[in-house]
């Protein structure tokens, strides 16, 4: 398959010479997931051992910090070795995670986060700031995809907390999601960046999805941040509606971008139909935000042939239709009417599409 | 695991084998970006699936509302009417079209709604597991007829739910203590049987081999359950007189999975799942031996950490080799 594509590209004059040797660092996502899970467990045991030793030797935050810093440095050096194998990479991952934990523990101790004087939220604010800086540094100096995913996830999670803390609460999720989509749309323009782009792009999507789940599933009615951290919504319910509108505008923006990319006239029949359909889904999304999010991911996944995003979008769609059942703003009767009318409308559009845009596309499963 | 054209084009661009300004052309040549006809097919399926999902959910929500203004006959007429309409669409569209299959799936969902309305109206006092079990039994002929993966998955979900709810009510044959493990055994048997049947079915039709998500989902559930059972065994109170059935089942599962997905039908995903399972089982076994007080905790933790890292790294090395062999 690789060779066939290479030959095709060669015939079109897009590449020259022999096919490059396969990049062994690029492994399927499930092998990476396996490595990540095992790496985390390995790091936990390693961290347990290190903490035991430190606890035995000296109860000093400074010692923990020095050991943590040295561990991170060792991990970076291993990753930067010209010829490192899987074992070394996995070992470096575990050492790095253990080192980061020690370093963060040390910094928080020095800042008095464990004194019990300040409220929890202030400790978390410091933790987020420290994590943000540490992960930004590690992101650039560790040339490994798995580690970059880890750094990006922690960076975006910290950023999310700080955004909520500093008053952006109802908009954080939409803003992170919009940033993730914007990065994905640049995937082909900035292909040279490789994992430096893919890792934060995935992280932005995952963290925004987690935030959406926390707001809707973990604590219904968006009271998680209020109950746990005392973070309130500026502007109350109107801000949440504005956030939903922002999310809907991401869908419309995506559709318009894809239409422009296909060089389709905005006033052509297909373009108008696509925009109207997006408006309909965006309207439904005002009630169930997950529907907009899921639809955006499915469309983007299809447009970029990215099966991970497409699969994620389908799961989000399914999960959030079920979640709609528990939404307290509307009665079940109103919700059922909304769903049945929307569903039948979508099916009617599909039926009409057969006449307006007939094509020899087989309908077979 | 073959890399997709998308991955290859991105990789070659990153390596500068393809110039940045040529990437669009390379993506077109590789067929990465969808053509208008692909978009039409995609929209067609998206509208069908989302439309049906919304409609089915709306009907479920409507009957869950239990509207007092609506008489019992009206309720039955509505839900039975919905089943009839779905079946009529299925009859008109036929089994070969996706819309026909989805209509049959919709009818299967409405059967569950009908059972719920019966329970709601006549206060039958039936346990929830009975509803799911009867639902499963009633829609089985349609699932067989439709040969539709999504409907089979839905059917299997109902069966799993039924088993789980049964154990929540009765707590198993040997009391509460063994109920959890008994339930896991039954769920393992059900899902492994489903995996075996699925593998048999796909081995008879090459086209269906392309539907990898079904194989992977079933293998994940079945492998996850047998690993959990083996871990339960390893963590048992009496290690000497350990009940080894779970471990034996895990060994058999791993051997069969290795033979089938390595030598018969290559699937690196299932092999990666197996590697993760080995890492988990070995870690638990080591933890059981090392953390019982005979060794110093620090030594035990370092050994466990190195073993986990070593096993997973070796596994990844092996999996890469297997994947490379497949793509060459």
């Amino acid at each position: 398959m690789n060779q066939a594509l290479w030959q095709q590209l060669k015939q079109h004059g897009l590449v020259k010479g022999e096919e490059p040797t396969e990049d062994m660092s690029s492994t399927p996502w499930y092998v990476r997931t396996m490595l990540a899970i095992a790496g985390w467990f390995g790091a936990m045991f390693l961290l347990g051992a290190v903490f035991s030793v430190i606890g035995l030797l000296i109860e000093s935050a400074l010692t923990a910090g020095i050991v943590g810093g040295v561990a991170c440095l060792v991990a970076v050096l291993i990753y930067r070795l010209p010829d490192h194998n899987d074992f070394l990479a996995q070992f470096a991952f575990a050492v790095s995670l253990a080192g980061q934990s020690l370093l963060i523990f040390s910094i928080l101790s020095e800042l008095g986060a464990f004194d019990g004087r300040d409220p929890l939220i202030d400790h978390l604010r410091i933790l987020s700031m420290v994590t943000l800086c540490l992960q930004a540094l590690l992101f650039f100096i560790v040339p490994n995809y798995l580690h970059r995913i880890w750094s990006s996830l922690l960076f975006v999670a910290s950023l999310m907390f700080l955004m909520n803390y500093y008053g952006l609460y109802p908009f954080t999720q939409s803003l992170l999601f919009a940033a993730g989509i914007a990065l994905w749309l640049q995937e082909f323009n900035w292909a040279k960046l490789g994992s430096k782009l893919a890792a934060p792009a995935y992280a932005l999507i995952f963290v925004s999805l987690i935030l959406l789940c926390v707001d809707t599933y973990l604590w219904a009615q968006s009271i998680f941040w209020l109950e746990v951290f005392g973070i309130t919504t500026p502007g109350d319910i109107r801000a949440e509606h504005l956030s939903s509108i922002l999310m809907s505008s991401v869908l419309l923006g995506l559709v318009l971008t894809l239409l422009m990319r296909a060089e389709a006239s905005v006033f052509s029949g297909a373009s108008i139909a696509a925009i109207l359909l997006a408006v309909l889904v965006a309207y439904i999304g005002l009630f169930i935000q997950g529907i907009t999010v899921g639809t955006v991911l499915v469309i983007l996944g299809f447009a970029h042939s990215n099966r991970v995003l497409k699969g994620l979008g389908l799961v989000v769609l399914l999960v959030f239709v079920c979640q709609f059942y528990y939404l307290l703003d509307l009665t079940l009767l109103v919700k059922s009417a909304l769903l049945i009318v929307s569903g039948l409308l979508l099916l009617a559009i599909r039926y009409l599409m057969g006449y307006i845009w007939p094509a020899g596309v087989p309908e077979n499963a | 695991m073959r890399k997709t054209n998308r991955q290859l084009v991105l990789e070659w661009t990153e390596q500068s084998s393809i110039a940045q300004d040529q990437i669009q052309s390379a993506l077109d040549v590789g067929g990465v970006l969808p053509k208008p006809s692909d978009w039409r097919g995609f929209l067609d399926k998206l509208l069908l699936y989302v439309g049906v999902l919304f409609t089915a959910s709306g009907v479920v929500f409507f009957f869950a509302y239990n509207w007092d203004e609506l008489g019992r006959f009206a309720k039955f007429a509505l839900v039975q009417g919905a089943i009839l309409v779905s079946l009529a669409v299925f009859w008109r569209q036929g089994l070969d079209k996706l819309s026909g299959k989805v209509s049959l799936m919709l009818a299967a969902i409405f059967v569950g709604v009908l059972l719920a309305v019966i329970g709601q109206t006549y206060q039958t006092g039936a346990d929830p597991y009975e509803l799911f079990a009867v639902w499963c039994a009633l829609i089985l002929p349609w699932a067989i007829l439709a040969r539709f993966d999504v409907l089979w998955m839905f059917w299997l979900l109902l069966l799993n739910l039924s088993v789980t709810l049964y154990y929540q009510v009765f707590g198993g044959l040997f009391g509460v203590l063994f109920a959890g493990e008994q339930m896991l055994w039954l769920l393992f048997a059900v899902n492994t049987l489903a995996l075996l049947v699925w593998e048999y079915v796909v081995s008879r039709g090459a086209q269906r081999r392309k539907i990898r998500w079904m194989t992977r989902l079933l293998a994940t559930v079945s492998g996850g359950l047998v690993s959990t059972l083996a871990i339960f065994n390893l963590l048992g109170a009496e290690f000497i007189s350990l009940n080894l059935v779970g471990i034996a089942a895990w060994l058999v599962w791993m051997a069969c999975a290795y033979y089938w997905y390595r030598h018969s039908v290559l699937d690196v995903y299932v092999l990666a799942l197996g590697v993760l399972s080995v890492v988990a089982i070995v870690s638990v076994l080591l933890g059981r031996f090392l953390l019982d007080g005979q060794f110093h905790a620090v030594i035990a933790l370092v050994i466990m950490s190195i073993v986990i890292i070593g096993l997973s790294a070796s596994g990844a090395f092996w999996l890469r080799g297997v994947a490379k062999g497949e793509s060459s």
Side-chain angles (χ1 to χ4, degrees):
Chain A
M1 189 188 195
N2 301 10
Q3 215 167 16
L5 179 64
W6 184 263
Q7 289 305 326
Q8 271 182 301
L9 294 173
K10 208 170 174 179
Q11 280 168 9
H12 284 82
L14 297 168
V15 291
K16 287 175 192 162
E18 290 304 305
E19 183 194 335
T21 49
E22 197 171 343
D23 179 10
M24 287 304 280
S25 66
S26 62
T27 43
W29 64 268
Y30 38 81
V31 178
R32 279 188 197 139
T33 309
M34 184 275 290
L35 280 169
I37 295 170
W40 290 329
F41 276 100
M44 274 198 313
F45 288 121
L46 200 61
L47 192 64
V50 172
F51 267 117
S52 303
V53 171
I54 287 176
L56 286 173
L57 294 176
I58 187 166
E59 286 184 4
S60 160
L62 184 66
T63 313
I66 293 168
V67 174
V70 170
C72 286
L73 196 65
V74 169
V76 172
L77 290 174
I78 296 173
Y79 274 125
R80 286 192 161 268
L81 282 176
D83 190 24
H84 66 260
N85 57 31
D86 283 319
F87 178 80
L88 280 179
Q90 189 70 341
F91 179 70
F93 186 55
V95 169
S96 172
L97 298 197
Q100 288 168 43
S101 309
L102 283 172
L103 209 53
I104 286 173
F105 165 78
S106 163
I107 295 170
L108 289 180
S109 296
E110 288 298 316
L111 292 172
F114 302 120
D115 295 348
R117 288 196 298 267
D118 301 320
L120 174 73
I121 191 164
D122 287 336
H123 299 163
L124 288 171
R125 182 178 60 89
I126 299 169
L127 176 67
S128 300
M129 285 175 168
V130 170
T131 310
L132 203 75
C133 299
L134 181 65
Q135 297 307 332
L137 178 71
L138 289 172
F139 179 86
F140 286 104
I141 61 174
V142 175
N144 177 275
Y145 186 71
L146 184 62
H147 202 285
R148 281 202 169 126
I149 287 272
W150 167 258
S151 291
S152 303
L153 278 172
L154 285 194
F155 181 91
V156 178
S158 307
L159 183 68
M160 178 263 286
F161 184 84
L162 290 174
M163 285 169 79
N164 280 349
Y165 182 89
Y166 287 110
L168 279 169
Y169 167 55
F171 306 104
T172 308
Q173 197 247 326
S174 315
L175 290 172
L176 292 179
F177 189 73
I181 298 301
L183 274 189
W184 277 116
L185 284 172
Q186 295 304 321
E187 184 188 20
F188 300 132
N189 296 334
W190 297 343
K192 282 226 176 274
L193 291 175
S195 68
K196 285 198 196 88
L197 181 122
Y202 273 124
L204 283 163
I205 300 293
F206 286 145
V207 172
S208 68
L209 286 182
I210 289 168
L211 191 53
L212 185 64
C213 287
V214 166
D215 270 352
T216 46
Y217 267 103
L218 200 59
W219 259 267
Q221 301 298 293
S222 305
I223 58 167
F224 171 77
W225 295 94
L226 178 68
E227 292 273 305
V228 180
F229 302 116
I231 292 174
T232 51
T233 309
D236 204 20
I237 196 78
R238 276 169 301 177
E240 285 180 24
H241 287 159
L242 271 176
S243 170
S244 295
I245 291 169
L246 182 62
M247 190 61 87
S248 299
S249 64
V250 173
L251 173 63
L252 288 170
L254 174 70
V255 170
L256 286 172
T257 307
L258 293 177
L259 285 172
M260 278 160 60
R261 197 183 274 179
E263 293 172 0
S265 162
V266 182
F267 300 106
S268 69
S271 298
I272 291 170
I275 293 166
L276 286 178
L277 197 59
V279 170
L280 174 67
V281 175
Y283 175 72
I284 300 166
L286 293 180
F287 301 94
I288 329 169
Q289 217 178 51
I291 297 295
T292 318
V293 173
T295 310
V296 167
L297 291 177
V298 170
I299 292 174
L300 185 68
F302 180 77
H304 280 220
S305 296
N306 186 324
R307 283 180 290 190
V308 176
L309 288 182
K310 202 160 72 170
L312 200 63
L314 288 174
V315 172
V316 169
L317 274 175
L318 200 62
V319 164
F320 279 91
V321 170
C322 299
Q323 185 270 330
F324 190 45
Y325 186 87
Y326 299 101
L327 190 78
L328 296 176
D329 294 353
L330 306 169
T331 66
L332 270 177
L333 191 64
V334 175
K335 284 188 264 191
S336 74
L338 186 72
L339 281 173
I340 291 173
V341 170
S342 314
L344 291 177
L345 201 59
L346 291 173
L347 291 173
I349 293 170
R350 178 181 180 268
Y351 183 75
L352 285 174
M353 198 172 76
Y355 291 99
I356 299 167
W357 189 6
V361 179
E363 210 194 8
N364 296 337
Chain B
M1 177 68 196
R2 287 193 180 96
K3 283 181 183 169
T4 60
N5 281 0
R6 170 182 174 276
Q7 288 168 317
L8 288 170
V9 170
L10 286 171
E11 197 176 296
W12 289 336
T13 310
E14 195 183 346
Q15 293 168 352
S16 301
S17 296
I18 298 173
Q20 179 63 61
D21 57 347
Q22 301 273 31
I23 190 170
Q24 198 64 34
S25 311
L27 291 167
D28 286 337
V29 171
V32 176
L33 301 178
K35 293 186 280 292
S37 61
D38 298 325
W39 272 110
R40 197 213 171 274
F42 165 74
L43 276 178
D44 188 66
K45 279 186 181 171
L46 187 68
L47 286 169
L48 179 66
Y49 279 126
V50 178
V52 165
L53 177 69
F54 280 13
T55 311
S57 310
V59 171
V60 172
F61 286 19
F62 179 77
F63 286 100
Y65 180 68
N66 200 7
W67 200 5
D68 288 337
E69 307 292 314
L70 207 63
R72 68 172 67 167
F73 290 111
K75 280 182 188 169
F76 280 118
L78 276 175
V79 70
Q80 286 169 353
I83 294 173
L84 282 176
V85 169
S86 308
L87 288 176
V89 175
F90 161 67
W91 178 68
R92 196 177 153 74
Q93 296 290 318
L95 260 180
D96 293 332
K97 284 185 176 174
L98 180 61
S99 45
K101 291 180 178 191
V102 171
S103 306
L104 198 57
M105 166 116 192
L106 201 57
I109 294 171
F110 292 155
V111 167
V113 178
L114 178 63
L115 292 173
V117 173
I118 291 172
Q120 212 177 54
T121 310
Y122 297 107
Q123 297 293 314
T124 55
D127 289 312
Y129 84 89
E130 286 177 293
L131 183 141
F132 289 106
V134 174
W135 191 357
C136 254
L138 287 177
I139 66 168
L140 181 61
W142 289 350
I144 295 169
L145 182 73
R147 286 175 293 148
F148 184 35
D149 320 306
V150 183
L151 181 51
W152 271 118
M153 199 45 71
F154 179 66
W155 185 84
L156 200 61
L157 180 73
L158 292 180
L159 192 60
N160 275 278
L161 263 174
S162 179
V163 171
T164 311
L165 291 170
Y166 173 82
Y167 276 94
Q168 274 186 8
V169 175
F170 294 108
L173 295 173
F174 302 105
V176 181
L177 187 63
F178 300 106
E181 200 168 334
Q182 230 182 63
M183 183 184 78
L184 290 179
W185 273 110
L186 192 54
L187 288 174
F188 168 63
V190 165
N191 290 289
T192 307
L193 187 65
L195 179 62
L196 290 173
V197 171
W198 172 251
E199 283 299 338
Y200 173 74
V201 171
V202 291
S203 67
R204 295 174 66 89
Q207 277 297 313
R208 307 200 79 72
R209 171 56 62 189
K210 289 178 185 167
I211 309 168
R212 287 209 166 179
W213 69 268
M214 186 89 162
T215 306
R216 290 172 176 183
L217 184 62
L218 288 171
T220 305
V221 175
S222 172
L225 284 166
V226 78
S227 304
T228 311
L229 284 164
I231 289 170
F232 270 20
N233 273 190
L234 287 171
L235 294 175
E238 296 298 326
F239 196 63
I240 308 293
S241 60
L242 196 64
N243 177 6
L244 292 172
V245 184
I247 297 161
W250 178 76
L251 284 171
V252 171
W253 194 95
M254 292 296 287
C256 293
Y258 173 76
Y259 170 76
W260 188 254
Y261 295 108
R262 172 73 184 92
H263 295 294
S264 188
V265 182
L266 188 62
D267 194 320
V268 188
Y269 173 90
V270 185
L271 297 176
L273 194 73
V275 170
L276 188 61
S277 178
V278 169
V279 172
I281 298 290
V282 172
S283 310
V284 173
L285 191 64
L286 267 178
R288 176 87 206 221
F289 274 119
L290 296 173
L291 295 172
D292 65 350
Q294 290 180 22
F295 292 86
H296 194 282
V298 176
I299 298 169
L301 289 169
V302 170
I303 292 174
M304 286 179 72
S305 174
I306 290 173
V307 169
I308 290 173
I309 291 165
L311 276 177
S312 56
S314 315
F317 180 76
W318 173 64
L319 289 169
R320 277 206 196 102
V322 172
K324 199 181 176 190
E326 186 203 15
S327 61
S328 62

